[in-house]
Amino acid sequence: MASTLGTSSTAILASRSLSYPTSKPTFSSFSLASGLNYGRRFCGGIGINEGKKGRSQFAVTNVATEINSVEQAQKRAAAMESQRPVYPFTAIVGQEEMKLCLILNVIDPKIGGVMIMGDRGTGKSTTVRSLVDLLPEIKVVSGDPYNSDPEDPESMGNEVRESVMKGKELSIVMTKINMVDLPLGATEDRVCGTIDIEKALTEGVKAFEPGLLAKANRGILYVDEVNLLDDHLVDVLLDSAASGWNTVEREGISISHPARFILIGSGNPEEGELRPQLLDRFGMHAQVGTVREAELRVKIVEERARFDRNPKEFRDSYIAEQEKLQQQIASARSTLSSVQIDHELKVKISKVCAELNVDGLRGDIVTNRAAKALASLKGRDNVTPEDIATVIPNCLRHRLRKDPLESIDSGLLVIEKFYEVFS
């Protein structure tokens, strides 16, 4: 994809002198690995080794045989063709800040999600939903409603954990990361899950019907018009986002399951502000605006018309760019753990946060993670000040205390402080 990634606030002040290069990254300049080998189905067992003080250590044993990998790939392809066509991510014109924030969260889900705010009709929902094609595949336990990770006890449901403790073998398959839409009118039972009280009382079993939070575990939970979400659902999201677990309490029966997800929200600021507690849970904040350049507006209209006329033909024309970006993301995910950030840069990041009076330490943590993800996306194993300059406005702008008399955009305040500290 030939478009340049970067933040709008960085571009506004790009003319100020720096002691380091300020050229913006492009996808075409990334050094790519060959990509990861996905699309296989595996069967394997999990063994337990007793560690010190009686603690169990989980380890996956050797993978056994590959089962019908071609057949599985064909079924997935057929399922994708039968679904409603999704606008290609690489076909979206402009909105580079939003696209970068979404890609970085796919590379490192621990960044904590994205809050996208902007004018109506600027492609927020279209861009988020187009991310589905780029999501990588992950290992899950076959048939498990919580997408349990066979290698991480913290992401296992209780049934899988009990199977592991008993030494049973688990069937492991590769599946794409889920993207779950949370509708505004959803009930709390639909989101959290329901317990069949009658069955529990008559048969003595915990009959639990998983909800959207269970489906979103290890995936993406997308809330369109998040600033219009009912307060009781906001409380549920806050609780799950904080603990990584969802607990359902009904008539003396308690059931818990893992609920770790990337939270993505979008909304129009004219329709109301978001509660500060929920806003702080989003790792990054992207602002989108209406494209003003006439030529770009014409291009967007023409591309959309071409998609509406023949979605399949339009998607086919972007297959090469989609696959290239997919490989970049897969390569970045595999090399992310080897990316380093100098102690001096960490100190400067924390100094920016401190001088901006950012509450808590989430701003420091997210900025470090986002900068590493960007360096990994560009094929480097060291973070540069340029990487930090690109992501720091998105990581801090929504964490600043609001001054009603302040007319300047909060992202510009962040980048001005960055130049002051880093120059």
Side-chain angles (χ1 to χ4, degrees), residues 92 95 98 116 119-130 222 288:
I92 292 168
Q95 311 300 7
M98 171 172 55
I116 304 167
D119 305 331
R120 49 188 170 274
T122 49
K124 300 185 294 294
S125 301
T126 301
T127 306
V128 174
R129 293 191 172 101
S130 69
Y222 174 50
V288 295

Coordinates of all heavy atoms in Angstrom, one line a residue, residues 92 95 98 116 119-130 222 288:
I92 N -9.1 1.7 1.1 CA -9.6 2.9 1.8 C -8.7 4.1 1.6 O -7.5 4.0 1.8 CB -9.8 2.6 3.3 CG1 -10.9 1.6 3.5 CG2 -10.1 3.9 4.1 CD1 -11.0 1.0 4.9
Q95 N -7.3 8.7 5.8 CA -7.5 8.3 7.2 C -6.4 7.4 7.7 O -6.6 6.3 8.3 CB -8.9 7.5 7.3 CG -10.1 8.2 6.7 CD -10.4 9.5 7.3 OE1 -9.6 10.0 8.2 NE2 -11.5 10.1 6.9
M98 N -6.1 6.6 11.6 CA -7.0 5.5 12.0 C -6.5 4.1 11.6 O -6.4 3.2 12.4 CB -8.4 5.7 11.5 CG -9.4 4.6 11.7 SD -11.1 5.0 11.2 CE -10.9 5.5 9.5
I116 N -12.1 5.6 18.1 CA -12.1 6.3 16.8 C -13.2 7.4 16.9 O -14.4 7.0 17.0 CB -12.3 5.4 15.6 CG1 -11.2 4.4 15.6 CG2 -12.2 6.3 14.3 CD1 -11.4 3.3 14.6
D119 N -16.2 12.9 12.4 CA -17.4 13.3 11.7 C -18.2 12.0 11.2 O -17.6 11.0 10.9 CB -17.1 14.2 10.5 CG -16.3 15.5 11.0 OD1 -16.5 15.8 12.2 OD2 -15.6 16.0 10.2
R120 N -19.5 12.2 11.0 CA -20.2 11.1 10.4 C -19.9 11.0 8.9 O -19.6 12.0 8.3 CB -21.7 11.3 10.7 CG -22.2 12.7 10.3 CD -23.7 12.9 10.7 NE -24.1 14.3 10.6 CZ -23.9 15.2 11.5 NH1 -23.3 14.9 12.6 NH2 -24.3 16.5 11.3
G121 N -20.0 9.8 8.4 CA -19.7 9.5 7.0 C -18.3 9.6 6.6 O -17.9 9.8 5.5
T122 N -17.4 9.4 7.6 CA -15.9 9.4 7.3 C -15.3 8.0 7.2 O -14.1 7.9 7.1 CB -15.2 10.3 8.3 OG1 -15.5 9.8 9.6 CG2 -15.5 11.7 8.2
G123 N -16.1 7.0 7.2 CA -15.6 5.6 6.9 C -15.1 4.9 8.2 O -14.3 4.0 8.1
K124 N -15.5 5.3 9.4 CA -15.0 4.7 10.6 C -15.4 3.2 10.7 O -14.6 2.4 10.8 CB -15.6 5.5 11.8 CG -15.2 6.9 11.9 CD -15.6 7.6 13.2 CE -17.1 7.7 13.3 NZ -17.7 8.6 12.3
S125 N -16.7 3.0 10.5 CA -17.2 1.6 10.6 C -16.7 0.7 9.4 O -16.3 -0.4 9.6 CB -18.8 1.6 10.6 OG -19.3 2.3 11.7
T126 N -16.7 1.3 8.3 CA -16.2 0.6 7.1 C -14.7 0.2 7.3 O -14.4 -1.0 7.0 CB -16.3 1.5 5.8 OG1 -17.6 1.9 5.6 CG2 -15.8 0.7 4.6
T127 N -13.9 1.0 7.8 CA -12.5 0.7 8.0 C -12.3 -0.4 9.1 O -11.5 -1.3 8.9 CB -11.7 2.0 8.5 OG1 -11.9 3.0 7.5 CG2 -10.2 1.7 8.6
V128 N -13.0 -0.3 10.2 CA -12.9 -1.3 11.2 C -13.4 -2.6 10.7 O -12.7 -3.6 10.9 CB -13.8 -0.9 12.5 CG1 -13.7 -2.0 13.5 CG2 -13.2 0.4 13.1
R129 N -14.5 -2.7 10.0 CA -15.0 -4.0 9.6 C -14.1 -4.6 8.5 O -14.0 -5.8 8.3 CB -16.4 -3.8 9.1 CG -17.4 -3.5 10.3 CD -18.8 -3.6 9.9 NE -19.7 -3.5 11.1 CZ -20.3 -2.4 11.5 NH1 -20.3 -1.3 10.7 NH2 -21.0 -2.4 12.6
S130 N -13.4 -3.7 7.7 CA -12.5 -4.2 6.7 C -11.3 -4.8 7.3 O -10.5 -5.5 6.5 CB -12.1 -3.0 5.7 OG -11.3 -2.1 6.4
Y222 N -16.1 -4.9 18.8 CA -16.3 -3.6 18.1 C -17.6 -3.0 18.6 O -18.7 -3.7 18.4 CB -16.2 -3.7 16.6 CG -16.6 -2.4 15.9 CD1 -16.0 -1.2 16.3 CD2 -17.5 -2.4 14.9 CE1 -16.3 -0.1 15.6 CE2 -17.8 -1.3 14.2 CZ -17.2 -0.1 14.6 OH -17.5 1.1 14.0
V288 N -10.6 11.3 13.2 CA -10.8 11.3 11.7 C -11.6 12.5 11.4 O -12.5 12.9 12.1 CB -11.4 10.0 11.2 CG1 -10.5 8.8 11.5 CG2 -12.8 9.8 11.9

